[in-house]
Coordinates of all heavy atoms in Angstrom, one line a residue:
R1235 N -4.8 0.2 -9.8 CA -5.0 1.1 -10.9 C -4.9 2.6 -10.5 O -4.3 3.4 -11.2 CB -6.5 0.9 -11.4 CG -6.9 1.8 -12.6 CD -8.4 1.7 -12.8 NE -9.1 2.4 -11.7 CZ -10.4 2.3 -11.6 NH1 -11.2 1.6 -12.4 NH2 -11.0 3.0 -10.6
E1236 N -5.4 2.9 -9.3 CA -5.3 4.3 -8.8 C -3.9 4.7 -8.5 O -3.5 5.8 -8.7 CB -6.2 4.4 -7.6 CG -7.7 4.2 -7.9 CD -8.2 5.1 -9.0 OE1 -7.9 6.3 -9.0 OE2 -8.9 4.6 -9.9
L1237 N -3.1 3.7 -7.9 CA -1.7 4.1 -7.7 C -1.0 4.3 -9.0 O -0.2 5.3 -9.1 CB -1.0 2.9 -6.9 CG -1.6 2.6 -5.5 CD1 -0.8 1.4 -4.9 CD2 -1.4 3.8 -4.6
D1238 N -1.2 3.5 -10.0 CA -0.6 3.7 -11.3 C -1.0 5.0 -11.9 O -0.2 5.7 -12.5 CB -1.0 2.5 -12.2 CG -0.3 2.6 -13.5 OD1 1.0 2.5 -13.6 OD2 -1.0 2.8 -14.6
R1239 N -2.2 5.4 -11.7 CA -2.7 6.6 -12.3 C -1.9 7.8 -11.7 O -1.7 8.8 -12.4 CB -4.2 6.8 -12.0 CG -4.9 8.0 -12.6 CD -6.4 8.0 -12.4 NE -7.0 9.2 -12.9 CZ -7.0 10.3 -12.3 NH1 -6.5 10.4 -11.1 NH2 -7.6 11.4 -12.8
L1240 N -1.5 7.7 -10.5 CA -0.8 8.8 -9.8 C 0.7 8.6 -10.0 O 1.5 9.5 -9.5 CB -1.1 8.8 -8.3 CG -2.5 9.2 -8.0 CD1 -2.8 9.0 -6.5 CD2 -2.8 10.7 -8.3
G1241 N 1.1 7.5 -10.6 CA 2.6 7.3 -10.8 C 3.3 6.9 -9.6 O 4.5 7.0 -9.5
L1242 N 2.6 6.3 -8.6 CA 3.2 5.9 -7.4 C 3.7 4.4 -7.5 O 3.0 3.5 -8.0 CB 2.2 5.9 -6.2 CG 1.6 7.4 -6.0 CD1 0.6 7.3 -4.8 CD2 2.7 8.3 -5.6
R1243 N 5.0 4.3 -7.0 CA 5.6 3.0 -7.1 C 6.1 2.4 -5.8 O 6.5 1.2 -5.7 CB 6.9 3.1 -8.1 CG 6.5 3.5 -9.5 CD 5.8 2.4 -10.2 NE 5.5 2.7 -11.6 CZ 4.3 3.2 -12.0 NH1 3.3 3.4 -11.0 NH2 4.0 3.5 -13.2
R1244 N 6.1 3.2 -4.7 CA 6.6 2.8 -3.4 C 5.8 3.5 -2.4 O 6.2 4.6 -1.9 CB 8.1 3.0 -3.2 CG 9.0 2.1 -4.0 CD 10.4 2.4 -3.7 NE 10.7 2.3 -2.3 CZ 11.0 1.1 -1.6 NH1 10.9 0.0 -2.3 NH2 11.3 1.1 -0.4
V1245 N 4.6 3.0 -2.0 CA 3.8 3.7 -1.0 C 4.0 3.1 0.4 O 4.2 1.9 0.6 CB 2.3 3.6 -1.4 CG1 2.0 4.4 -2.6 CG2 1.8 2.2 -1.5
L1246 N 4.0 3.9 1.4 CA 4.1 3.5 2.8 C 2.7 3.4 3.3 O 1.9 4.3 3.3 CB 4.8 4.6 3.6 CG 4.9 4.3 5.1 CD1 5.8 3.1 5.3 CD2 5.5 5.5 5.8
V1247 N 2.3 2.1 3.7 CA 1.0 1.8 4.2 C 0.9 2.2 5.6 O 1.7 1.8 6.4 CB 0.6 0.4 4.0 CG1 -0.8 0.1 4.5 CG2 0.7 -0.1 2.5
L1248 N -0.1 3.0 6.0 CA -0.3 3.5 7.3 C -1.6 3.0 7.9 O -2.6 2.8 7.3 CB -0.4 5.1 7.3 CG 0.7 5.9 6.6 CD1 0.3 7.4 6.6 CD2 2.0 5.7 7.3
S1249 N -1.5 2.7 9.3 CA -2.7 2.2 10.0 C -2.5 2.5 11.5 O -1.4 2.9 11.9 CB -2.9 0.7 9.7 OG -2.0 0.0 10.5
T1250 N -3.5 2.2 12.2 CA -3.4 2.2 13.7 C -2.9 0.8 14.1 O -3.0 -0.1 13.3 CB -4.8 2.5 14.4 OG1 -5.7 1.4 13.9 CG2 -5.3 3.8 14.0
P1251 N -2.5 0.6 15.3 CA -2.1 -0.7 15.8 C -3.3 -1.7 15.6 O -3.0 -2.9 15.3 CB -1.7 -0.5 17.2 CG -1.2 0.9 17.3 CD -2.1 1.7 16.4
G1252 N -4.5 -1.2 15.9 CA -5.6 -2.1 15.8 C -5.9 -2.6 14.4 O -6.6 -3.7 14.2
Q1253 N -5.4 -1.9 13.3 CA -5.6 -2.4 12.0 C -4.3 -2.8 11.3 O -4.2 -2.9 10.1 CB -6.3 -1.3 11.2 CG -7.7 -1.0 11.6 CD -8.4 0.0 10.6 OE1 -8.0 1.1 10.5 NE2 -9.4 -0.5 9.9
A1254 N -3.3 -3.2 12.2 CA -2.0 -3.5 11.6 C -2.1 -4.8 10.7 O -1.5 -4.8 9.7 CB -1.1 -3.8 12.8
A1255 N -2.9 -5.8 11.1 CA -3.0 -7.0 10.3 C -3.6 -6.7 8.9 O -3.1 -7.2 7.9 CB -3.9 -8.0 11.1
A1256 N -4.6 -5.8 8.9 CA -5.2 -5.5 7.6 C -4.2 -4.7 6.8 O -4.1 -4.9 5.5 CB -6.5 -4.7 7.8
A1257 N -3.4 -3.8 7.4 CA -2.4 -3.0 6.7 C -1.3 -3.9 6.1 O -0.9 -3.8 5.0 CB -1.8 -2.0 7.6
R1258 N -0.9 -4.9 6.9 CA 0.2 -5.8 6.4 C -0.4 -6.7 5.3 O 0.4 -6.9 4.3 CB 0.7 -6.7 7.6 CG 1.5 -6.0 8.6 CD 2.3 -7.0 9.5 NE 1.3 -7.7 10.3 CZ 0.9 -7.3 11.5 NH1 1.4 -6.2 12.1 NH2 0.1 -8.1 12.3
A1259 N -1.6 -7.1 5.4 CA -2.2 -7.9 4.3 C -2.3 -7.1 3.0 O -2.0 -7.6 1.9 CB -3.6 -8.4 4.7
L1260 N -2.6 -5.8 3.2 CA -2.7 -4.9 2.0 C -1.3 -4.7 1.4 O -1.1 -4.7 0.2 CB -3.3 -3.6 2.4 CG -3.7 -2.7 1.2 CD1 -4.7 -3.4 0.3 CD2 -4.4 -1.4 1.8
G1261 N -0.3 -4.6 2.3 CA 1.1 -4.4 1.8 C 1.6 -5.6 1.1 O 2.3 -5.5 0.1
E1262 N 1.2 -6.8 1.6 CA 1.6 -8.1 0.9 C 0.9 -8.1 -0.5 O 1.5 -8.6 -1.4 CB 1.2 -9.3 1.8 CG 2.1 -9.4 3.0 CD 1.6 -10.5 3.9 OE1 0.6 -11.2 3.5 OE2 2.1 -10.6 5.0
R1263 N -0.3 -7.7 -0.5 CA -1.0 -7.7 -1.8 C -0.3 -6.8 -2.8 O -0.2 -7.1 -4.0 CB -2.4 -7.3 -1.6 CG -3.2 -6.9 -2.9 CD -4.6 -6.4 -2.7 NE -5.0 -5.5 -3.7 CZ -6.2 -4.9 -3.7 NH1 -7.1 -5.1 -2.7 NH2 -6.5 -4.1 -4.7
L1264 N 0.2 -5.7 -2.4 CA 0.8 -4.7 -3.3 C 2.2 -5.1 -3.7 O 2.7 -4.7 -4.7 CB 0.9 -3.3 -2.6 CG -0.4 -2.6 -2.3 CD1 -0.2 -1.3 -1.6 CD2 -1.1 -2.3 -3.7
G1265 N 2.8 -6.0 -2.9 CA 4.2 -6.5 -3.3 C 5.2 -5.4 -3.4 O 5.3 -4.6 -2.5
P1266 N 5.8 -5.3 -4.6 CA 6.9 -4.2 -4.7 C 6.3 -2.8 -4.7 O 7.1 -1.8 -4.5 CB 7.5 -4.5 -6.1 CG 6.5 -5.3 -6.8 CD 5.8 -6.1 -5.7
L1267 N 5.0 -2.6 -4.8 CA 4.5 -1.3 -4.7 C 4.4 -0.8 -3.3 O 4.2 0.4 -3.1 CB 3.0 -1.3 -5.3 CG 2.9 -1.5 -6.8 CD1 1.4 -1.6 -7.2 CD2 3.6 -0.4 -7.6
C1268 N 4.7 -1.7 -2.3 CA 4.6 -1.3 -0.9 C 6.0 -1.1 -0.4 O 6.9 -2.0 -0.4 CB 3.9 -2.4 -0.1 SG 4.0 -2.1 1.7
A1269 N 6.3 0.1 0.1 CA 7.6 0.5 0.6 C 7.8 0.0 2.1 O 8.9 -0.1 2.6 CB 7.9 2.0 0.6
G1270 N 6.6 -0.3 2.7 CA 6.6 -0.7 4.1 C 5.3 -0.4 4.8 O 4.4 0.2 4.1
V1271 N 5.2 -0.8 6.0 CA 4.0 -0.6 6.8 C 4.4 0.1 8.1 O 5.3 -0.3 8.8 CB 3.3 -1.9 7.1 CG1 2.1 -1.6 8.1 CG2 2.8 -2.6 5.9

């Protein structure tokens, strides 16, 4: 909802190496809204 409110359609998910798994999971959840990790 918040991404849509800002008109964002391709976000790059950022994290540290230690949170890479959580970042990838979030990217998978976002599907086409995720430009990459």
